[in-house]
Amino acid sequence: MGAQEERSGDRQRFDVADAAPLLLDARGVVTSWTRGAERLLGRPASEVVGTGVAGLLVPTDAARVPELAQRCLHDDGWAGLLTARRGDGGQVPVMARVTPAVEPGGADRWLVLLSDLRGAPGWDMSRTVLETMLTRSPVGIAVVDTELRFVWSNPALTRFGGGPPGQRLGRRLAEVQPGVDVDGIEAQMRRVLATGEPVIGYEHVGRLRSAPHRETAHVLSFTRLEDERGCPTGVYYTVVDVTERHRARQRLALLDRAGERIGRTLDIEGTAQELSDVAVPDFADLVTVDLLEWVLRGAEPVPVPPGEPAAPVLRRAGQRSVDPDGAPGGAAPGSGDDGDGVSGDGCGDVVEAASVEVGTEVGYLDGSPPLHTLASGRAWRRERLDPAATEWASRAPGGHAATFRELGLHSAMVVPIRARGVTLGVTTFFRRGRQDPFDAGDLHLAGDLVSRAAVCVDNARRYTRERNAALALQRSLLPRRLPEQDAVEVTACYRPADELTGLGGDWYDLIPLSGARVALVVGEVPGHGIDASAAMGRLRTAVRTLAALDLPPDEVLAHLDDLVGTAAQQEGVRPDPAGDSYGDSMRAVGSGCVYVVYDPVDGRCAMAAAGHPAPAVVRPDGGVGFVELPQGPPLGAGGPPFESVELTLAAGSTLVLHTDGLLADGEGEDGGAGRERLRAALERTTGSFDSRCGAVIDALIPAHPHDDVALLMARTRLLGADQVADWELASDPAIVAVARKAAARQLTAWDLEELAFTTELVVSELVTNAMRHAAGPIRLRLIRDRALICEVSDGGATAPHLRHPRTTDEGGRGLLLVSQFTQRWGTRFSPEGKVIWAEQSLSGPPD
């Protein structure tokens, strides 16, 4: 069989101690056979001498004999592996060494030495072969003694620093490679010497003497060397440079961290800061993220008119430095001598670029790399920055633009933040003196890193835009502030279940009515989000419109129920059985609402509910009760008519109107348990009245409720007896003058003489109309509140209409005069008839 071979020049190193010799003549015939050969091949001399050597070999090797004979003549010998045939028919692998043997007379003879390789680990290579393999190996190899001093190393180890092999002899690793993790490497060597167990694949990352500014990675393997008695004589170890593999692993790890940490929120500045945090310190020493101003607002890009220069406004959205507290000009850690006689550049600590705070505008010089990258959409890289150049800022604190040397920066990259074909800003990466300059691979990695963040930034921008629009809708639908009035003291709180958008279907309202009365409303629409909010807006508008008619609570809900049902029917919307597909009208179907009217003149309170929890009442002494209010059907669902209840509240009582989200704890408890929890919260709530609303919600629901919650608390007031004056009037035309005089006297008592003329005119016209067109008792009432209210009630059931008489008409100008001289007027109906009222402001025209 074929074999590995040695050159004949190495034959003197052939170990003949265990070899079996034999002689061949020039024709390859065996001329001498020894006992060793007889033992090895199991053939006697009588059988072998005089026969060709090819007969001793297996057929494949026998066929190679002529070729090997020529090589022996040409190379003055040959060595290699052969397979011989034993006399018993077996085969034996042998190491054969053929050398010339010159006898007297000059006859050519060949000495053949055969070594039995059965049980041998492999080919017994010569020292020269081994040295060739070791010296030409690309793997760094070294041998140290038991004192861990170098006794041998190959030339390849020179590439890893520490000088040529000759300079290593007798020295320890710390002497030839200062700065590396000597303790860790020597600990591995001592472990191998002590246990005899090899260490394979020990990874070391650090900076070598030969490359102090470059982080390198190596894999080392250690094996103990022993003498023939098994005693340790040293350690043989190998070194392989795996820096590129290490960097690739670092880059993959960086991208993996970026995928985990960037975009965890839908906050634009938060996402920009996450990009900075991920890149520092593993990839860069200073990272700044600057976004266009319209991005931070969540807006769409504004097109620039042709011919007009673009003036982009960049704002700092995120930044991170390895030394945010450093000051320019300080000594950088590790500066000075790096251990190999090379001095550092003396750059100062890395600081925030021009100390720009997040959220402030960043000005760059025209033509600077950030603006060029922003305009072109192409990345920019500079391996070595000009130390004397500024960091591109057009202005800096104190009027001083710091140079790159002062900031300790030597290499930079600017990468555009682009998503969906639009440039959103730029990200700038800096490195300081202790790191390698940015190379092309770093630029590619930075592009991958920024592109991942760009999508998250754009998603956050789009979310901000949609959320701002939704919140604008919500703000337009909910009252920004409740109107000022003297009937009740109010506080309200709203907490949506959808914390991302802040939108929900619950609402509350306070509506001033005639006669110093107020309407209190709390309602809810099924579902959450913008659809529910839109449906809520429609219902709230409808409630305010119906409230302007001064209808009783049950009639307001009846009209509202008709509106919801009719709108859903006209739009042809059918409810989805799964409950997740609705239009605005369908969203309103099933809504709940409670409508309360409170009169501060006598403390009477009327209310009705449509599929909504009844209000709680906190008495002046602190006791809590719940109104026994008949529950009408939800709006648009159909069912029995709505019913109102009336009760009288003492001054200082608190009406608590709420949605059902306040009673549920998310664990399916029933309404009774929820009421008890509400009762306990109301009884123990202290502090100012304005703070009680939030305290009740905090006590009853978690920070992230599963349902929207609206809470309106109204503490009742009563008008004083000196604020109300009323008179019963007889149905006599002469009584008009009496009414005017009585009103004038009351205005004098209230120090409102400046309103006497107008008030007498209003009283005269309203009383005259009541006597002419109505029946039953007539009553005049004046109320001094925030406005002067004049009311005339009668038993009629028809409402007066404002007319626009012609010049020649003799009448019909009464209500026209009333409407012109008062702030507002109107009619409301009661079980006894109707009331015509008019108001005059006591505080001047409204703002």
Side-chain angles (χ1 to χ4, degrees):
M1 61 179 285
Q4 295 172 299
E5 304 174 3
E6 292 186 50
R7 295 179 58 84
S8 59
D10 299 328
R11 60 181 179 271
Q12 69 271 21
R13 297 187 179 91
F14 189 80
D15 188 1
V16 298
D18 297 323
L22 64 144
L23 288 175
L24 303 177
D25 61 14
R27 296 173 302 168
V29 176
V30 179
T31 59
S32 175
W33 191 254
T34 63
R35 290 186 179 274
E38 182 177 342
R39 289 194 300 271
L40 178 61
L41 299 182
R43 296 174 182 269
S46 58
E47 179 182 338
V48 177
V49 173
T51 63
V53 69
L56 301 176
L57 303 175
V58 296
T60 55
D61 285 347
R64 298 181 61 228
V65 169
E67 174 196 350
L68 297 179
Q70 292 298 322
R71 297 184 63 176
C72 288
L73 293 174
H74 183 269
D75 296 332
D76 201 20
W78 175 85
L81 297 177
L82 296 171
T83 301
R85 296 191 304 171
R86 288 180 51 84
D88 57 7
Q91 298 179 357
V92 56
V94 294
M95 174 66 185
R97 166 80 64 171
V98 182
T99 59
V102 180
E103 296 181 352
D108 290 334
R109 293 290 186 271
W110 299 93
L111 174 63
V112 180
L113 300 176
L114 301 177
S115 296
D116 189 357
L117 292 185
R118 289 176 297 182
W123 183 26
D124 188 12
M125 293 179 289
S126 68
R127 178 187 178 95
T128 301
V129 174
L130 291 174
E131 287 182 353
T132 301
M133 294 173 58
L134 295 175
T135 56
R136 295 183 181 179
S137 171
V139 178
I141 305 173
V143 177
V144 297
D145 60 16
T146 54
E147 298 298 323
L148 306 185
R149 299 185 180 276
F150 284 97
V151 297
W152 181 86
S153 62
N154 69 341
L157 197 63
T158 306
R159 298 197 311 271
F160 302 99
Q167 296 182 7
R168 293 175 178 269
L169 293 178
R171 304 173 71 185
R172 295 182 57 170
L173 183 61
E175 299 177 66
V176 299
Q177 284 285 21
V180 301
D181 182 18
V182 175
D183 294 338
I185 295 175
E186 290 191 346
Q188 298 298 323
M189 295 180 183
R190 293 191 181 93
R191 173 186 170 189
V192 170
L193 283 173
T195 64
E197 298 179 0
V199 173
I200 309 298
Y202 174 76
E203 187 167 337
H204 169 265
V205 179
R207 300 178 184 276
L208 302 179
R209 183 184 180 92
S210 58
H213 300 298
R214 178 175 181 267
E215 187 177 70
T216 56
H218 302 93
V219 171
L220 297 86
S221 297
F222 306 90
T223 304
R224 187 171 76 175
L225 299 177
E226 302 174 348
D227 59 15
E228 57 275 2
R229 294 174 298 174
C231 296
T233 59
V235 175
Y236 162 87
Y237 74 87
T238 61
V239 184
V240 179
D241 190 339
V242 293
T243 301
E244 292 304 319
R245 186 177 68 186
H246 173 71
R247 288 185 175 181
R249 189 166 62 241
Q250 284 184 317
R251 290 171 177 172
L252 289 176
L254 179 63
L255 291 176
D256 185 59
R257 289 197 303 274
E260 292 179 355
R261 297 171 56 183
I262 297 178
R264 293 177 295 182
T265 66
L266 287 173
D267 178 75
I268 298 176
E269 290 187 353
T271 303
Q273 187 60 47
E274 288 166 354
L275 171 59
S276 303
D277 294 341
V278 165
V280 176
D282 295 335
F283 182 65
D285 293 311
L286 172 63
V287 174
T288 63
V289 181
D290 301 323
L291 296 176
L292 290 166
E293 189 174 33
W294 58 264
V295 175
L296 292 170
R297 296 199 313 267
E300 291 293 331
V302 179
V304 179
E308 294 188 11
V313 177
L314 286 170
R315 292 191 179 275
R316 182 61 45 84
Q319 59 186 3
R320 179 71 183 273
S321 169
V322 295
D323 187 11
D325 299 325
S335 63
D337 191 352
D338 292 303
D340 59 354
V342 179
S343 177
D345 59 6
C347 292
D349 289 342
V350 178
V351 296
E352 306 294 351
S355 300
V356 176
E357 296 183 358
V358 172
T360 59
E361 182 178 342
V362 183
Y364 289 109
L365 296 173
D366 293 338
S368 61
L371 293 186
H372 175 74
T373 298
L374 187 67
S376 65
R378 293 190 296 270
W380 176 93
R381 175 175 63 92
R382 184 73 74 236
E383 291 188 6
R384 294 293 179 185
L385 295 169
D386 180 4
T390 66
E391 44 99 56
W392 312 317
S394 60
R395 54 188 175 275
H400 173 69
T403 64
F404 287 121
R405 179 178 293 279
E406 290 172 339
L407 295 174
L409 308 172
H410 75 88
S411 186
M413 296 186 301
V414 184
V415 181
I417 304 174
R418 290 181 57 83
R420 300 175 177 93
V422 178
T423 301
L424 309 176
V426 292
T427 302
T428 307
F429 301 85
F430 291 99
R431 279 184 179 170
R432 61 180 301 167
R434 66 179 178 83
Q435 287 198 1
D436 294 338
F438 289 115
D439 56 23
D442 292 326
L443 184 62
H444 181 73
L445 175 61
D448 289 343
L449 194 65
V450 173
S451 64
R452 294 190 179 198
V455 175
C456 297
V457 168
D458 194 51
N459 288 340
R461 177 190 67 84
R462 292 179 170 221
Y463 164 74
T464 300
R465 181 192 62 191
E466 298 300 330
R467 185 173 187 271
N468 289 342
L471 290 178
L473 170 64
Q474 180 81 338
R475 286 192 295 267
S476 68
L477 298 178
L478 284 176
R480 295 189 179 182
R481 60 187 180 93
L482 296 175
E484 296 182 0
Q485 37 71 48
D486 292 332
V488 290
E489 180 184 1
V490 293
T491 180
C493 193
Y494 176 74
R495 186 170 295 175
D498 188 349
E499 65 172 326
L500 286 180
T501 62
L503 299 177
D506 292 11
W507 88 93
Y508 58 87
D509 209 347
L510 183 148
I511 308 169
L513 302 177
S514 64
R517 299 170 306 137
V518 292
L520 304 171
V521 189
V522 167
E524 59 181 321
V525 172
H528 315 289
I530 193 167
D531 290 338
S533 185
M536 174 269 288
R538 297 178 66 175
L539 281 183
R540 178 171 178 262
T541 302
V543 170
R544 294 184 71 89
T545 302
L546 293 171
L549 300 178
D550 256 331
L551 299 175
D554 55 337
E555 294 188 28
V556 169
L557 294 184
H559 285 294
L560 192 62
D561 179 69
D562 291 339
L563 288 174
V564 172
T566 302
Q569 184 179 11
Q570 290 177 347
E571 294 181 12
V573 181
R574 296 180 179 274
D576 184 356
D580 55 5
S581 177
Y582 290 95
D584 285 351
S585 296
M586 205 62 241
R587 283 282 186 185
V589 174
S591 299
C593 180
V594 59
Y595 187 88
V596 179
V597 175
Y598 174 71
D599 189 342
V601 174
D602 53 13
R604 286 190 300 177
C605 181
M607 63 184 71
H612 199 85
V617 177
V618 182
R619 296 184 293 273
D621 61 3
V624 179
F626 292 90
V627 179
E628 295 298 328
L629 180 63
Q631 279 295 312
L635 298 176
F642 300 99
E643 298 182 42
S644 292
V645 297
E646 289 191 5
L647 63 155
T648 300
L649 298 177
S653 301
T654 302
L655 272 170
V656 182
L657 284 70
H658 59 87
T659 55
D660 58 5
L662 189 68
L663 300 181
D665 63 353
E667 299 178 359
E669 67 176 13
D670 57 22
R675 278 190 172 191
E676 292 306 315
R677 293 173 57 243
L678 176 59
R679 184 197 304 273
L682 292 172
E683 288 176 344
R684 64 172 176 265
T685 300
T686 58
S688 66
F689 185 71
D690 289 338
S691 66
R692 292 183 182 182
C693 198
V696 170
I697 287 186
D698 291 338
L700 295 180
I701 66 173
H704 306 294
H706 73 282
D707 193 10
D708 304 326
V709 176
L711 175 63
L712 178 67
M713 299 177 68
R715 186 157 56 189
T716 61
R717 296 167 176 160
L718 287 177
L719 298 182
D722 59 342
Q723 293 180 271
V724 181
D726 59 352
W727 301 269
E728 286 194 11
L729 304 177
S731 297
D732 183 356
I735 203 65
V736 176
V738 176
R740 285 200 304 266
K741 292 180 181 179
R745 287 193 299 269
Q746 186 63 53
L747 293 182
T748 300
W750 286 342
D751 294 328
L752 297 177
E753 292 90 344
E754 68 275 9
L755 299 179
F757 174 77
T758 306
T759 304
E760 289 182 24
L761 174 64
V762 170
V763 169
S764 177
E765 294 296 335
L766 295 184
V767 172
T768 300
N769 281 342
M771 287 190 299
R772 286 182 179 179
H773 305 291
I778 300 174
R779 191 175 190 87
L780 169 64
R781 183 168 71 167
L782 296 181
I783 301 173
R784 180 173 60 84
D785 190 30
R786 291 177 178 266
L788 177 62
I789 305 169
C790 177
E791 295 182 344
V792 175
S793 59
D794 57 53
T798 58
H801 296 285
L802 181 65
R803 296 172 55 189
H804 297 277
R806 295 185 299 271
T807 305
T808 57
D809 290 344
E810 296 182 358
R813 293 179 176 84
L815 289 181
L816 179 61
L817 293 174
V818 171
S819 67
Q820 295 299 313
F821 282 95
T822 60
Q823 186 175 4
R824 61 178 187 146
W825 73 280
T827 304
R828 70 173 182 269
F829 292 91
S830 66
E832 296 80 15
K834 67 176 182 297
V835 177
I836 304 175
W837 56 269
E839 290 184 4
Q840 301 176 71
S841 175
L842 297 182
S843 58
D847 295 336

